[in-house]
Amino acid sequence: MTMNQTIEADGADAAPVEPTRGGNYFRPPVDILEQTNELIVLADMPGVTADGVDVHFEDGVLTISGRIAPQSTVERKYLLNEYGVGDFYRSFQVSDQVDPAQITAEMTGGVLKLRLPKAAAARPRKIVVQAK
Amino acid sequence: MVRLRVQSFVPLQQLRDEFDRVLKSFIGDRPQWASRKPAAPTGFPALNMWEEADALKVEAELPGMKSEDLDISVQGGELILQGKMAAACDASTYHRHERASGDFRRVVRLPVDVATDKVEATLRDGILQITLPKAAAAMPHKINVTSA
């Protein structure tokens, strides 16, 4: 298995698990970068603070969700309305090459950054040849 | 007395706005799209702009944006947003690359005069909010009727 297959999105836009909270849900755009010893997932979730983020890992499925602050219910007189606002939800299939116990998350300026360290077996290892 | 102002040059944008206004008076507000993305492509960043009694509000989603990389100005009845979204990293292998990055510039015509010296902008949790207080002349003015 190549590292390209390490993370696969669930494919469909629809969330496989229905959240209890109503309202609009959006699929955050992500960058997934591979580095020597870890994978980095960056997800844009504007309006979400660290308190509103939930990262869940179970049975090889990594799920990220972000709740935004409740929006004003006062009806707005829109002159431009180019995007919708709502909570975020997305899940990924993660191979067992990632060590789930070592996953860390941080939220800065509306961007969630997850670090998924590779399991020891998946890390590149340099074999030292000993001269005799 | 009716004073007629003759303009030799009507900018296209102004003409289009006027057309929109006339159309709107016949068919009402355009539908509010339920989708996150608008039906027609827009510039970057996508904007929400609405009018309140004493101000115009503009919001944009700029996750990961640093305030020092953002330049906002109001000039000649236009709001100009420009800046640079930093890329996550240039040396790594991307398995997915969906987040926006790079330089952007967007110009929006403001429908009312605003007090340019009182415009305020905040960037919090990746959301930019700009408050553009209306100029005194554009504010609704209540006239008190005195009885003689």
Side-chain angles (χ1 to χ4, degrees), chain A residues 96-116:
Chain A
D96 53 7
Q97 287 184 313
V98 163
D99 183 353
Q102 303 290 316
I103 297 173
T104 60
E106 61 180 76
M107 192 76 200
T108 325
V111 181
L112 173 69
K113 183 174 185 175
L114 292 176
R115 286 174 184 278
L116 297 94

Side-chain angles (χ1 to χ4, degrees), chain A residues 7-17 27 30 32 58-64 89-94, chain B residues 96 98:
Chain A
I7 290 194
E8 285 164 9
D10 247 338
D13 272 25
V17 182
R27 186 172 181 248
V30 299
I32 298 175
E58 194 177 343
D59 293 338
V61 177
L62 176 74
T63 304
I64 55 180
Y89 187 94
R90 194 163 175 182
S91 60
F92 301 91
Q93 188 81 50
V94 181
Chain B
R96 276 162 192 276
E98 302 168 353

Side-chain angles (χ1 to χ4, degrees), chain A residues 32 34 44 79 81-82 84, chain B residues 32 36 47 49 99 106:
Chain A
I32 298 175
E34 182 174 347
D44 281 348
L79 301 163
N81 191 4
E82 298 176 344
Chain B
Q32 305 289 308
R36 184 167 177 77
L47 299 175
M49 175 161 79
R99 298 170 62 244
R106 180 135 193 222

Side-chain angles (χ1 to χ4, degrees), chain A residues 44-48 71 76 78 80-85 88 109-110, chain B residues 36 42-50 56-66 70-72 79-83 85 104-108 120-132:
Chain A
D44 281 348
M45 301 200 288
V48 176
Q71 299 292 294
R76 286 169 177 173
Y78 277 109
L80 288 175
N81 191 4
E82 298 176 344
Y83 66 90
V85 173
F88 297 93
Chain B
R36 184 167 177 77
T42 61
F44 183 89
L47 299 175
N48 283 346
M49 175 161 79
W50 66 97
L56 288 176
K57 298 264 190 166
V58 177
E59 267 187 4
E61 292 182 331
L62 294 167
M65 184 90 212
K66 292 186 181 75
L70 186 62
D71 186 31
I72 303 167
L79 171 70
I80 302 154
L81 294 173
Q82 52 191 337
M85 297 279 276
F104 63 87
R105 179 183 158 90
R106 180 135 193 222
V107 182
V108 192
E120 282 177 9
T122 56
L123 183 63
R124 186 176 301 135
D125 303 324
I127 295 180
L128 172 71
Q129 188 178 77
I130 310 170
T131 304
L132 304 118

Side-chain angles (χ1 to χ4, degrees), chain B residues 69-92:
Chain B
D69 292 337
L70 186 62
D71 186 31
I72 303 167
S73 57
V74 178
Q75 202 180 5
E78 288 180 331
L79 171 70
I80 302 154
L81 294 173
Q82 52 191 337
K84 188 179 168 65
M85 297 279 276
C89 183
D90 41 25
S92 311

